[in-house]
Amino acid sequence: MGALGLRSDAQMAVLILVIVVALVFDYTNGFHDAANAIATSVSTRALTPRAALIMAAVMNLIGALLGVEVAKTVSEVITPPTGLHGLTVVAAGVLGAITWNMITWYFGLPSSSSHALIGGVVGAGLASASHVSWDKVVDKVAVPMVISPVVGFCLAYLVMVAILWIFRRAHPGRVGRRFRIAQSLSAASMALGHGLQDAQKTMGIIVLALVTTGHATGDTVPLWVIIACAGALSLGTYAGGWRIMRTLGRKVIELDPPKGFAAEATASMILYAAAYVWHAPISTTHTITSCIMGAGATKRLSAVRWGVAGNIVMAWVLTMPMAAAVAAIVYWLVHLFGA
């Protein structure tokens, strides 16, 4: 009985540690992806950097409270062992995602926190011989990962063409002032979509840890998990991601307010559709970056700095396998030291 009690205490301690690590990931997700919502608004001077960060933090908080379907999808990607072994698998997956997030943040590359998390969890699952739901990985992650940037580029291009046609006879200065106001709304919409998508991914990881230890069934997301994830993401967003903001706001293409509005409005619509219709954890980074390229391409294709865009795409391609590799290494190291 004494041994069982010690094991139960150890399991609870590790569960708390996994939850803390997941919330740390949520925080890094916030400052890593803050640029997704506000880079275009800041670069076009529609909002000051500090005002944009405050707005993004508030809208992320609200968005995180608006749904849990994406969280359920994430929690069903793998079926880890029960107890301490299962918690080790979950922790390794999250640590792999955090490590890749920090690497890409350091180099200013807007990689996907979503795919880093999925890649980390899948890598840890494979290393531990856990069951991986490949149908969900393919249908809910891989396919949307390819489709969402293509749809974002094309839709943003068409939206920008429509704006150019509608305002073809208007005074450019007046149009710019109006779209600066409109961009404040589109940036808020984008931040809401980011909260709706990205906070739920961490919720799914915490639910997975709770199911592994028998503290939840997985059918619902506890209210305290929703609030904790919403708060961590919001705080991380307020901390800001200035390196990535410069890449998205200036290095990909020089934006004006109409193009910024077209990119943000299109990206937010795609995020809402993915969350509410397909329950798919798509990347806010992929979506807004492709929309920026699509809106910018209406000026001329050479206006997009394709060299920078190529580096971003390379980061996209490497995200899932690299996060998976780091997670597998973490899992093996834990076993190597006998934990």
Side-chain angles (χ1 to χ4, degrees):
M1 290 296 292
L4 288 174
L6 286 173
R7 187 171 181 82
S8 177
D9 290 343
Q11 182 172 285
M12 179 57 67
V14 175
L15 174 61
I16 293 171
L17 178 62
V18 170
I19 292 172
V20 170
V21 170
L23 292 176
V24 169
F25 168 80
D26 205 23
Y27 180 86
T28 65
N29 187 344
F31 77 71
H32 187 275
D33 289 2
N36 295 341
I38 61 177
T40 56
S41 297
V42 172
S43 69
T44 61
R45 296 180 176 82
L47 293 169
T48 65
R50 188 56 58 190
L53 281 172
I54 293 172
M55 178 276 295
V58 171
M59 297 308 292
N60 268 328
L61 181 64
I62 296 171
L65 303 174
L66 297 182
V68 295
E69 294 302 325
V70 172
K72 292 180 182 178
T73 297
V74 172
S75 68
E76 295 168 354
V77 167
I78 67 168
T79 305
T82 58
L84 284 171
H85 189 193
L87 289 175
T88 303
V89 175
V90 177
V94 179
L95 288 171
I98 291 174
T99 302
W100 185 247
N101 263 3
M102 297 306 294
I103 291 171
T104 53
W105 168 82
Y106 179 80
F107 289 104
L109 293 174
S111 68
S112 169
S113 297
S114 310
H115 296 144
L117 185 61
I118 299 295
V121 169
V122 170
L126 290 174
S128 63
S130 301
H131 172 70
V132 178
S133 300
W134 290 111
D135 56 337
K136 286 192 178 295
V137 173
V138 172
D139 295 341
K140 299 292 187 180
V141 181
V143 172
M145 179 176 70
V146 175
I147 292 177
S148 58
V150 175
V151 172
F153 184 95
C154 296
L155 280 182
Y157 182 89
L158 294 174
V159 169
M160 192 61 215
V161 167
I163 289 173
L164 290 171
W165 187 84
I166 292 170
F167 295 96
R168 64 191 183 280
R169 293 190 179 91
H171 187 275
R174 191 176 300 130
V175 170
R177 287 192 295 272
R178 290 176 179 174
F179 272 100
R180 278 195 178 91
I181 298 172
Q183 236 196 309
S184 300
L185 299 177
S186 64
S189 178
M190 179 69 198
L192 188 75
H194 177 248
L196 177 66
Q197 274 280 341
D198 284 42
Q200 288 195 54
K201 293 151 192 172
T202 306
M203 294 179 203
I205 292 300
I206 294 177
V207 168
L208 183 61
L210 293 173
V211 170
T212 299
T213 55
H215 289 87
T217 61
D219 296 329
T220 60
V221 180
L223 180 60
W224 69 266
V225 174
I226 297 173
I227 293 173
C229 292
L233 184 72
S234 183
L235 288 172
T237 298
Y238 185 71
W242 304 107
R243 292 172 183 265
I244 296 171
M245 197 182 301
R246 284 193 295 270
T247 299
L248 280 179
R250 293 189 177 92
K251 290 185 180 179
V252 175
I253 189 170
E254 292 294 335
L255 291 171
D256 55 24
K259 290 186 180 69
F261 172 81
E264 290 172 339
T266 304
S268 59
M269 287 189 294
I270 294 172
L271 292 176
Y272 298 150
Y276 287 122
V277 179
W278 293 290
H279 308 157
I282 69 167
S283 167
T284 55
T285 309
H286 290 200
T287 305
I288 187 60
T289 306
S290 61
C291 288
I292 289 172
M293 293 178 189
T298 56
K299 183 177 181 181
R300 62 182 186 278
L301 286 177
S302 60
V304 178
R305 298 186 178 103
W306 295 106
V308 176
N311 291 337
I312 293 171
V313 171
M314 183 59 68
W316 291 355
V317 172
L318 290 175
T319 291
M320 287 188 70
M322 291 302 294
V326 173
I329 291 169
V330 170
Y331 175 82
W332 287 325
L333 284 175
V334 169
H335 278 265
L336 179 65
F337 288 102

